[in-house]
Amino acid sequence: MQRRRSTPAGLWALRWALTCAIGAIAVGALVAVHVFLLPSAAVPDAFKLTKQREVGYRRKASELSWTQEIAPPQLAKLKISTQKVGSVREGDSGFEKLWKPPSNRYFVPCVAPSSSYLPPTRSRGYLLVHANGGLNQMRAGICDMVAVARLINATLVIPQLDKRSFWQDSSNFSDVFDEEHFIRTLANDVKIVKKLPKELMTTAKAVIHFRSWSGLDYYQDEISRKWDNYEVIKAAKSDSRLANNNLPSDIQKLRCRAFYEALKFSPQIEALGKLLVERMRSYGRYITLHLRYEKDMLAFSGCTYGLTPAESDELARIRENISYWKVKEIDSQEQRDKGYCPLTPKEVGIFLSSLGYPSNTPIYIAAGAIYGGDSHLADLHSRFPILLSKEKLASAEELGPFKDYASQMAALDYIVSVESDVFIPSYSGNMARAVEGHRRFLGHRKTINPDRKALVHLFDMINQGSLKEGKKLSNIITEIHRRRRGSARKRKGPIPGTRGIERFRSEEVFYENPLPDCMCQQQP
């Protein structure tokens, strides 16, 4: 028998090293070609939004998900920094607690009408609506006008969207919402038509600025009398025209059916929104940060903390030149001290770190163009490098049909926000309220509302050197927000001692919390 030749140990080591090196080079080249060198515009078919993938699309069992084929193209190689505060790892009880939703106390959606609720009777006339404001202000106003049409026995004409606001958005109702679904879903509540009949186009109309936060008596008595002289009533504005509370149960449930069921986004928006959610999910659990640090928000609020003198002057000029913004002189420091300013990106970074979220947490930025761009995002990005947005997750081709329309772009952010594991708004505006309410309606998904007044005091202490980031700050911030995580509770009423219009203004907005009107408690 022939004896095998023995191989020196050194030669075996050399072979092993060469094999590992070749394997590493091959894997690295493959990743570089398919991920990091792929231009944003050259998106493979796996990323393209096909016309067939609209609402209700079901993938065939044999069809691969895009997540099985390739990683998202826009995400560059990330450098993950070391977490200094509240470090936790996936699988740890502390990590799981960061994502755990609050108790829903067995509350579930409950919007079906009562047994005494009847289909709409013979209409007395037509209600025209000019919806004003941004996307979510218009959404709330439209749903309120559905209820108003029911109260005054009117046929609702599909509302006109605001085309004269700061955003100069020319979108029509059907560009943003699913018009057919809206009409069909509310057929047993209110008669809805797409246009005013031709014979009434030139007729005299009662143009009315409905009184803010009005109740049943105002609409059924004062407004309904207009039908004696007019066939058409036009609501000049739609925002905050209906009371938050003390309305009949069936009217409150109708508002919820309109908001959460009838007023769906258009199929094209829904399809891309769901694709963005799927792409975010490829990174695991994620936070949506509604970062209100756009030019219009800062100009309107007069909040200039952390900005340069030139930037502050620019915002002041914008505020001065917009006629329908009534308040021109604003004390920025006073606004900030009272908690009336949005948190800056840097402050948000400190806040998230102090809550214990690790630096590799995926964060979706739901916002328009951040004022100052990357220069103002640098501090947040240094703490949390995985900052994503619709512009990073979708190709230019996919965003093309929506990019010039603020309402449609905001609708995409809304979808990703509602579906996120945690939602955090840096400011309590119309979108923040709408998303929080929607998340409550869907089972009280986790929403963390920053206590801006308390946080500003802490941030000032850090700037002054009397407090440092670390365990003490983390404990303080965590305790402050222990009861601000979207748990089930009844909608808050007015602040005690307030009167008149301020009493209504101080109430929690109806669409911010649909409990108790639209949620019922089941037995465990």
Side-chain angles (χ1 to χ4, degrees), residues 87-105:
S87 293
V88 287
R89 294 189 178 186
E90 191 160 359
D92 293 349
S93 60
F95 182 85
E96 295 305 319
K97 190 175 180 180
L98 292 174
W99 303 99
K100 183 180 179 181
S103 171
N104 62 19
R105 294 171 53 200

Side-chain angles (χ1 to χ4, degrees), residues 1-5:
M1 178 182 285
Q2 186 175 356
R3 296 179 62 186
R4 291 184 179 178
R5 300 166 96 183

Side-chain angles (χ1 to χ4, degrees), residues 295-329:
K295 183 183 290 186
D296 65 293
M297 178 71 243
L298 298 176
F300 176 77
S301 63
C303 296
T304 59
Y305 176 79
L307 301 181
T308 66
E311 289 172 331
S312 299
D313 290 342
E314 180 187 21
L315 298 178
R317 287 195 299 273
I318 293 173
R319 187 167 61 253
E320 185 65 35
N321 292 332
I322 297 181
S323 59
Y324 49 86
W325 289 358
K326 302 303 181 184
V327 182
K328 305 298 183 183
E329 297 296 327

